Amino acid sequence: MNDTIAAISSAGGPVGLIRVSGERAIEAVSAVFHAKNGGELRDAPTQKLVFGTLHGTDGKMIDCCYAVALHAPHTYTGEPMAELQCHGSSAVLTQALEALFQQGVRQAEAGEFTRRAFLNGKIGLSEAEAVHDLITARTVEAAQNAAAQVMGSVGSPIRQMRDELISLVAHFHAVVDFPDEDIDPVLFDDAAALLHRTTSRLYAMAESYERGRILREGVPCVILGRPNAGKSTLLNALLGRERAIVTDIPGTTRDLIEENVKVGQLLLRVTDTAGLRDTNDPIEQAGIDRAMAEASACSLILAVFDGSRPLGDEDMLVLARSTGHRAIAVINKDDLPRQIDEKLLKKHYLHIVPLSAKTGEGMKKLLALIPRLVGLGDGALDGALITNARQAAALARAAERCEAALYAATTGLTPDAVVMDAEGAIAALGEITGETVTEAVVTRIFSDFCVGK
Ligand code: GDP
């Protein structure tokens, strides 16, 4: 029998939620909560909010709040549960927890509620991982994709493919176990059709990870350019507000400024940098060094040039740093007469966008180009994108084993060759749904969760 656990499940705010799960959950909350109607929480109908008072370890009232009893098995964890909706101060919530601990309840560990939901068969492993994505989502689109995954957009098709492979293997086992019987050739044809279909679906899912990762994590992007090229003005134009200091004095942006910018469905994690130039100022030089290091590691460079001036030595530093990277050359200050040698830029950059960061002219073109260039585009986000590296790796392994089984089925290899590879694919898919995952992996997955979920 599991012990009973409790945790604060809300993050600040006027209402604080305490969640309790385990055999003694309803008993423990009943002991510290006095319903206003004089009844006992344990006798209240399941899922019905009850108003009353909450009492601390010394019996003194600490809050007037709602409580709810949730009877098993129709609960998040599958165990008896109870929740308290308190006033959200940490004074109230910590006293409420103390009172529950006195009833033999213990503090829940990170992700322990969801781990119990998984172990009690209430939720698959891929759905549980999506719960974490949903809590940590940084954009609406990432949240939508995660919400669909919680509802089974990844787990359901994988369970279906796994079931089909299991049926196939069972069929082939019969053949392997009775070698003297003639094998119905239809069996091989049907097997090949199923394996072909499954292999393509698995590869497509595995390959969606590249887009999924971008959706979840965003893309690091660095703005490079000589001092006064208009980098800070461009960052402000991307942000739509004054974040970086814009001045006429070269070298104002000494340190790195990092901002998250939403570009279409994409989260761009932009770093504005100190301008690249030779300088004797050690602080400015440190900023420049960091800008250089940042550019090497980043996924997209916006190389900003002042279009109203000819290219100078400092621009050559920008050229050198961004060549060979995924980069967009921004010819800024296009509201002024153009002096820049565009032909030279064309030799170095595949993508050139003239714009005025000051007036906003041309910004739309840049905003449309960025998501396309990093590979997110405008496609529908219906939960079909794989956003999890562990799942993507297991999918790729499943696809390879499925393809090997297909090869065995179509080239007349023995049935046990088909069975061996199909079983490999089944095991890999089970790692995603949770059927064949090790205890250590489960522990690691849930340790990433926050306490209270
Ligand atoms: P940074 O040093 O590269 O960050 O450059 P800033 O963004 O601080 O801009 C330097 C100067 O150029 C400021 O006076 C800006 O107002 C001006 N500037 C920036 N973008 C434009 C533009 O598109 N057109 C014009 N005319 N001036 C701009």
Side-chain angles (χ1 to χ4, degrees):
M1 189 178 75
N2 264 334
D3 44 4
T4 300
I5 54 172
I8 300 167
S9 289
S10 51
V15 177
L17 182 71
I18 291 183
R19 183 177 251 191
V20 190
S21 181
E23 283 308 316
R24 293 206 62 257
I26 297 170
E27 276 308 309
V29 175
S30 289
V32 298
F33 178 81
H34 300 170
K36 189 159 179 257
N37 65 10
E40 289 285 344
L41 183 70
R42 67 174 76 87
D43 301 326
T46 187
Q47 299 180 3
K48 185 175 187 298
L49 279 183
V50 178
F51 185 69
T53 53
L54 184 63
H55 297 262
T57 45
D58 55 3
K60 283 192 186 144
M61 186 177 80
I62 51 175
D63 198 9
C64 42
C65 61
Y66 284 101
V68 60
L70 305 158
H71 291 271
H74 302 296
T75 65
Y76 183 67
T77 57
E79 304 171 335
M81 290 185 74
E83 287 179 3
L84 286 164
Q85 294 182 13
C86 304
H87 289 92
S89 72
S90 62
V92 167
L93 295 173
T94 48
Q95 281 190 82
L97 272 186
E98 283 299 328
L100 288 168
F101 294 161
Q102 208 175 41
Q103 298 299 320
V105 174
R106 73 160 168 82
Q107 172 67 49
E109 289 165 15
E112 198 170 2
F113 292 99
T114 310
R115 182 184 175 129
R116 287 184 177 200
F118 165 65
L119 294 175
N120 291 330
K122 296 293 290 185
I123 189 172
L125 196 58
S126 62
E127 285 81 3
E129 286 180 304
V131 169
H132 182 251
D133 282 6
L134 196 48
I135 296 168
T136 54
R138 289 196 276 183
T139 63
V140 174
E141 288 80 5
Q144 285 167 346
N145 196 65
Q149 288 184 4
V150 172
M151 297 309 288
S153 62
V154 168
S156 297
I158 287 179
R159 273 186 283 276
Q160 187 211 338
M161 284 186 270
R162 189 166 179 272
D163 287 348
E164 287 171 350
L165 289 175
I166 289 172
S167 300
L168 178 89
V169 166
H171 239 85
F172 267 79
H173 262 304
V175 173
V176 175
D177 294 345
F178 300 101
D180 296 338
E181 304 274 325
D182 275 345
I183 302 170
D184 185 351
V186 175
L187 183 59
F188 273 104
D189 289 349
D190 288 352
L194 172 72
L195 292 167
H196 190 274
R197 200 170 59 239
T198 310
T199 303
S200 324
R201 279 181 83 186
L202 290 174
Y203 273 125
M205 284 180 91
E207 281 158 16
S208 77
Y209 175 60
E210 191 46 37
R211 277 185 79 214
R213 193 178 56 79
I214 290 170
L215 178 73
R216 197 171 74 132
E217 295 172 9
V219 167
C221 165
V222 83
I223 303 180
L224 292 185
R226 74 170 180 211
N228 259 9
K231 300 178 296 300
S232 305
T233 312
L234 179 66
L235 175 63
N236 289 337
L238 286 168
L239 287 171
R241 65 192 152 95
E242 297 279 307
R243 167 67 171 81
I245 319 151
V246 180
T247 67
D248 282 326
I249 310 154
T252 312
T253 314
R254 294 213 162 152
D255 210 348
L256 303 184
I257 296 178
E258 291 180 5
E259 283 285 357
N260 289 337
V261 179
K262 230 0 236 321
V263 180
Q265 299 179 331
L266 173 72
L267 180 78
L268 208 57
R269 305 199 327 256
V270 184
T271 307
D272 184 16
T273 57
L276 298 184
R277 63 172 187 162
D278 287 328
T279 176
N280 296 324
D281 179 342
I283 301 173
E284 194 182 340
Q285 188 56 51
I288 292 171
D289 291 346
R290 283 183 65 189
M292 293 299 215
E294 195 74 20
S296 310
C298 82
S299 285
L300 177 67
I301 294 175
L302 296 179
V304 183
F305 300 93
D306 182 342
S308 68
R309 294 172 55 169
L311 287 168
D313 290 347
E314 292 154 354
D315 292 311
M316 295 307 148
L317 281 175
V318 177
L319 272 178
R321 180 49 68 172
S322 48
T323 303
H325 283 272
R326 185 158 54 188
I328 300 173
V330 172
I331 301 182
N332 190 31
K333 309 196 186 182
D334 211 36
D335 52 308
L336 302 175
R338 217 184 269 182
Q339 300 277 336
I340 200 165
D341 178 2
E342 218 182 316
K343 278 203 200 102
L344 182 69
L345 289 186
K346 276 190 179 146
K347 279 189 198 148
H348 287 83
Y349 298 101
L350 219 54
H351 306 279
I352 298 180
V353 180
L355 56 78
S356 168
K358 198 168 180 175
T359 66
E361 191 72 33
M363 283 298 292
K364 256 194 183 154
K365 199 173 163 217
L366 180 69
L367 296 179
L369 175 62
I370 290 171
R372 261 198 300 124
L373 195 60
V374 301
L376 189 62
D378 282 333
L381 303 171
D382 51 6
L385 290 188
I386 299 296
T387 49
N388 178 303
R390 188 190 75 84
Q391 292 173 11
L395 276 165
R397 255 182 290 122
E400 280 164 23
R401 295 302 295 270
C402 213
E403 195 174 22
L406 171 64
Y407 177 78
T410 51
T411 52
L413 290 180
T414 56
D416 43 335
V418 180
V419 166
M420 201 180 68
D421 281 314
E423 281 178 342
I426 291 166
L429 293 179
E431 288 173 34
I432 300 171
T433 55
E435 270 93 353
T436 52
V437 81
T438 63
E439 176 76 24
V441 171
V442 171
T443 301
R444 202 193 50 69
I445 288 171
F446 288 102
S447 66
D448 284 346
F449 275 55
C450 49
V451 172
K453 190 60 206 173

